[in-house]
Amino acid sequence: MTALSIRKSILSFLLVRESESKLVSRLFIFEFFQGAAIAIVFTTAITLFLQQLPTTDLPIVFFLSAFALWIAAYLYNRLEHKFSSTKMVLIVLLFNTACVLIFLFFISYEKNSWFLFAFLGAFNILYLLNNLEFWGLASLLFDVRQSKRLFSVVSASDLPAKLFGYLLTIFLVPHVGTENLLWVALVCMLVSLILYKPLIELNEIKNLGEISHSHEAPGIKAIQAALTGNKLIRILALVSFFSLCCLLVVNLVFYGYIKHQFKSDKSMAGFFAIFLGGVRLITLLIKVGITNRLVDKMGLRRSLLVTPFILLVICLICLFFSLRTSSFKTTFYLFGVLALATDVLKMAVQTPVLLAAMQPLPTHQRLRGHTLLKGLMDPFAFFAMGGLLWMLTSFDKEMHLGILGLILLFLIVCWIIFASQVDKYYSAALTVAIRDRSLNGKFISITDNDSLQLLYDKLENGTETEVIAVLNLLASQSGNLTGFFSRGLNHSSQAVKGYVLRLIRDKKAIGLLPDLRLMATDPANTELVPEILETIASFNQDEDFSGFVNHDDPMIALAAVRAQLLDRTNFHEAAEAKLREWFVAKEQDKKIAALKVAGEINNGRYIPEIERLMQDDDMDVRKNAMKAAGLNGHAPTVKELFDRFINTINDSTALAALIDCNEHVFPAVKDYLQKKKCEGGKCRKLLVLLGKSGHAAAKQVLDECLREFPGKAKIILPVIRLRHNSAGANEAQYQKMISSHLTAAIHLVYAVNFLLQQHPREELVIEALRTELNDIKENCLDLFSLLYDEEKIRRVKAGFEINSRESIANALELIFVSVPKQFGLPFIQVFENSDIRDKYIQLQKTVQESSLSKDAVIKNILFDVDYNYNSWTKSCVLYILKDKKLPFGKEFIQPFTFADSSLLKETAQMIIAKN
């Protein structure tokens, strides 16, 4: 994590949504105890190893660890294709716990070299597998936007976990001994096992199903690709390789001094815990307080060179004094400082800067680069240094400090050479990204001076496309961008200048106001003057634009008039006169310009002019006049617009104007909808008008219509969901509607089953009832989306649309985890992908079937018993009665002859005529 991400993690944790907080907290704690256990395992393993074996055997561990890491990553990759991510978490957790148990069981063999080699080497495998399973799960749980907020929170558990593990070691090792620390590690692993069940029972994890997340298994081909592929990735991989090699050599030397200094395992384990805990604490402080500022001030190249140069100076000091002094303590402390500086600077500076350096790369290359740095170069460094040092120990068992010093100096020099080249390739990658417009400012942050200077130069020398790409990137960055915008305004391209002006308004760069005033008077910027005036007015409404009101360019004059009249604190006589002049002008474009300004001003001052132009001979003028009338919301004018809409066949212009009226037209709309009972094409258009409005009053009218005309739920509910995604104060109303819908659906299943069993030839009615069931399903899903998790219900709808057995099963599983059981279970029983007979048998166990007959079914449909049936369904029922004796008197059919539905009305008239 970078310093910025750690600072953001604190805020992110406070801003985590309630639905995410439980998931994030459980992930944090779950990872915390595993991290503590792994820290304790390492402390125990390294202590026992150094107590029993010479330091010169450590290269063998390095060498064997490389193969073990490659094999573990390969096996993990193969298993991921067979098991889901949640199962992989359990497999890794059980494996790591089993490893701790096995080492506890064989702890009596601590004096055997094979056990010590296996024990210390296993630490790297445990750490790798823990990272793979945890981040594999986290990457599936959170989308891109969530990961930006939450990854810093869940990843923050690593450093505190390690600190906790080392603190436990410090306090417990004097009392329980080094070997028994494994019991503490086992307890931590068991706590994670206990936390596993509550973790996977969370809905977010259940919904993953059998999704897997694959990682590229590292191998020789991948290493070759790293060295021959993208140049920036190659250089960064080599920097990462040499930095880890240096750490391994430094640790080898320092561990030798530790072995000599501490004779008992308890004192050695305690020292390791204090030293490593201190390293983590200092790392945390540097990340929070220094890293980001360092990159911003020094740039990427200098930031990457800070670590090797500091280590080079400390290394030279260590070698100088160690070869000249006989004081063991002096040498011990010097190499202790070197080891601490190497570890801290690598974690706190080197790794964050390496990751930041890959930001200009396309997403797929950036992800591949991360894999190469951690999954390939780390094991390769173990392999290379383990092999080299192993060979040296075969010739000299004591391994002279001078030789190790030369190796370390050589590695640091190589580190410096490759780190110094990063800036060149980073700039090239950034230039390519700008040229290809592949940078997405939402996902990267460019704050270092070198990169900002490159962008600054591009604004002057780049092509129009490149400059706009740079400006687009800068727009998503924080900080003072005035200098960049000023440079952009000097570009020769008018398109670039126009884009900069929009950014200046968006970013409220008021410091550029003097520059904008000069630009407005420059004849070379005539084309941009309207936009310049708009930008100036957005910063200073008192600005005097009277000099532009009578400009020869109509667009400049319009911008000046608009800006002056939008100033509600002062009266601008020249602008007022110009606007009234346009209202009575003969030219169509001047009338339209005046109407646009009057609509935007929205102060009712120009209502007479607007009403007059609503009768203009020109259609475009009339359209703009009606729009201006709608925006002004003048009651008599709104009524006239509404009457035009109701009484005009081609009503699109009046309807568009009514949308602009907003809350001023809602009372008239409500009265009309209630009068017409939401029937007909006009009502549908008015319902959509309400749905498109985000106003609370519009939602209230829709809810009232839904309450009064539940039979129109199929039309009203989708309209509500156009702009609203929650029930608000109508939760009880929606829940009551769901309950009645599901009750009706159950009785419809009974009716369909009855007809299939007793009257299978009535296919028309059966299919009509199936359509009713489908409508109920859609209504329930719309209501669910307003009450519960909208995203999950959207996925449910998609599953039903695919209409495969598997997709419907997955959709119903989402209903099970997202909707309360009182609604979810009956919904699942009614709409599962099975035969009507099977549904009927299952439903009978919970809901008693009422006595059914064909006549009862017909009467229930025609007279809306417990449910408002569609006109089509009623028409089908009447149609099957055309040649039969009516089960009731003709007077009961008579009301249908006055139905709004022409089909139902004509069918009813035919039945009466035949009877």
Side-chain angles (χ1 to χ4, degrees), residues 35-49:
I38 291 172
I40 294 170
V41 167
F42 174 73
T43 305
T44 307
I46 190 65
T47 300
L48 295 178
F49 187 95

Side-chain angles (χ1 to χ4, degrees), residues 151-170:
F151 270 19
S152 58
V153 179
V154 292
S155 66
S157 62
D158 184 60
L159 286 175
K162 298 292 191 299
L163 282 172
F164 178 69
Y166 296 135
L167 285 173
L168 284 178
T169 301
I170 294 170

Side-chain angles (χ1 to χ4, degrees), residues 45 66 91 107 161-162 194 263-264 370 490 575 607 611 664 694 725 772 883:
I91 290 170
I107 197 68
K162 298 292 191 299
I194 293 169
K263 301 303 181 183
S264 71
H370 291 176
N490 292 322
I607 292 298
E611 289 179 336
H664 300 291
N725 55 12
E772 295 283 359
D883 297 322

Side-chain angles (χ1 to χ4, degrees), residues 583-594:
F583 271 123
V584 296
K586 292 182 179 180
E587 295 89 342
Q588 171 193 347
D589 57 341
K590 289 184 178 179
K591 293 178 184 177
I592 292 174

